[in-house]
Amino acid sequence: MPERADLERSATELLQRLIRFKTVNPPGDEQAAQELLKELLEGVGFECELLAAVEGRPNLVARMRSASDGPRLCLLGHVDTVLADPDEWSVDPWSGELRDGCVWGRGALDMKSQVASETAAALAIAGEGWRPEAGELILVFTCDEETGAAYGAQWLCEQHPDKVRCDLVVNEGAGTVLDFDGRRVYGVCVAEKGVFRFTLTTRGKAGHASVPRIADNALVKMAPVLEALADGRPAYALSPEPEAFLRALGLDPGDLEGAVQGIAEKDGRVAILVEPMLGVTLTPTMISASEKVNVIPSRAELAIDCRVPPELGEEAVLSALRELIGEDGYEVRFHDRIVGNRSPADTPLMEKISAFVRREDPGAEAVPVVLPGFSDSHWWRRAFPDCLAYGFFPQRAMDLFEAFPLIHGADERVPIEDLGLAASFYAELMEEVLR
Ligand SMILES: [Zn+2]
């Protein structure tokens, strides 16, 4: 096994270089970053291919085969990022600056850090002459994750299934330590919620704004809707991931209201993170009505970002709406209908992750979680029903409360110690799985 210090150094240097490629999506512009990764991986014996749906935005597939049958292990990552406003940052977001033991820059957590750690691990062990004894190692770095993966993971899995088919995927989604009530838990993302964004429309009758009661103002009808969404939420519902998670925190999943209240009393921050695991969430984000200030609108539209527990569909959204605002007085038009999916949590891969966590952080535990957001793991589970996809990037030096606000936020950074920790995990995993 490569030394931790060497892995840390190499992952740090690579992350700095990756951050300096501005891969803000849109437009993404991932070509140069992907070419660097390709060149590095080819240098230690990987067969590499750049596969692009559109010019200048390739996905990288790097492969190392063995002579015998065995599991195909895919380490996954995306190289695009969201935007950054330099005025809000203390450093240049594309500097990759090293400060206070951290690498700073857009993508330092989401997720050039993991791409760098996975690559550093592969470069180190393959550079020492290691080759899989069985199965196959595949590194896949996608473009276009941040705007929905139409040119990235979705396209790859649908258009080139033979190039990316695998049995195990390790991707982003969880792994940062959470301290709660004397317990330390590391999430392993085994599922993502579905995405059901929609527009809610209210209708009335147009008229001159100088005589308010002459018309029927559709915008005003949004007030009770907004209030209900702000004050209420659908009743909590249990599913396998929150059940395991609540148990790991020492709480009773049989009483969800009580469990969340118990969490809130000890640490309100944890309650905020746990709640979305327990059902449909409805977040109003955009509103529009009249196009003229002196015209009472006959129609108002509210855009709602809605996330639904894995394997549930549109009916779960409509039922949540009925619960909160009744059935009448509005219409719903869906823009996205992506049903979330999950992998089983009780597997040898989970065992390996647990063993790593227990060894690195005695007393701590690895716990399956469902991601309120979305990730590329979805496309692998959907295209290859037997494929097990987990999100795990272990972080111990920076905890969840520090990391979470930095993702897509200002001053995104990652401790170099965590880059070394993660790279060690990936190196170990490759050796253990592919033997
Ligand atoms: Zn990401």
Side-chain angles (χ1 to χ4, degrees), residues 130-145:
W130 172 89
R131 293 293 179 267
E133 281 169 40
E136 206 167 290
L137 175 61
I138 311 164
L139 270 60
V140 178
F141 298 132
T142 63
C143 66
D144 199 33
E145 193 270 348

Side-chain angles (χ1 to χ4, degrees), residues 382-405:
R382 187 158 117 166
F384 314 114
D386 294 331
C387 171
L388 189 71
Y390 285 175
F392 188 65
F393 176 77
Q395 279 200 265
R396 179 180 52 196
M398 179 180 268
D399 77 8
L400 194 58
F401 300 117
E402 204 183 339
F404 216 77

